[in-house]
Amino acid sequence: MFTYLKMKKHEWKVKAFLYGAVAALLDNQKDVLELVQKMYIALKDVPADELQKEFVDRLTETIHEEKKDD
């Protein structure tokens, strides 16, 4: 029984560490996540054959808009 409790304690430590690492990673990558969200919203209705060209166009527009804001 004590072995099981020790195992669970270690399991909780590992889970807390991993969840903390993922949360820190997401906090550090907020700009990237916002960019991905904007790109997804802009390109969700684009046909597959035009997707590459449209992606590049929208990405350059987004970059130019961000440069203007800075």
Side-chain angles (χ1 to χ4, degrees):
M1 185 66 173
F2 289 114
T3 307
Y4 177 76
L5 293 174
K6 282 184 180 180
M7 179 189 71
K8 282 297 183 182
K9 180 180 175 183
H10 291 297
E11 181 182 329
W12 292 333
K13 282 184 181 180
V14 170
K15 282 184 180 180
F17 173 76
L18 288 175
Y19 292 153
V22 169
L25 179 68
L26 290 176
D27 267 354
N28 292 335
Q29 301 298 325
K30 283 184 181 179
D31 295 336
V32 174
L33 291 174
E34 288 176 17
L35 177 64
V36 169
Q37 283 179 327
K38 287 179 185 177
M39 294 303 293
Y40 173 75
I41 291 169
L43 298 172
K44 67 182 179 184
D45 296 327
V46 176
D49 54 338
E50 298 176 15
L51 190 59
Q52 182 178 2
K53 181 186 178 304
E54 193 68 28
F55 176 78
V56 172
D57 291 342
R58 297 293 174 122
L59 184 60
T60 54
E61 286 177 15
T62 304
I63 291 171
H64 285 294
E65 287 176 8
E66 288 180 5
K67 293 290 183 184
K68 288 179 183 177
D69 293 341
D70 290 342

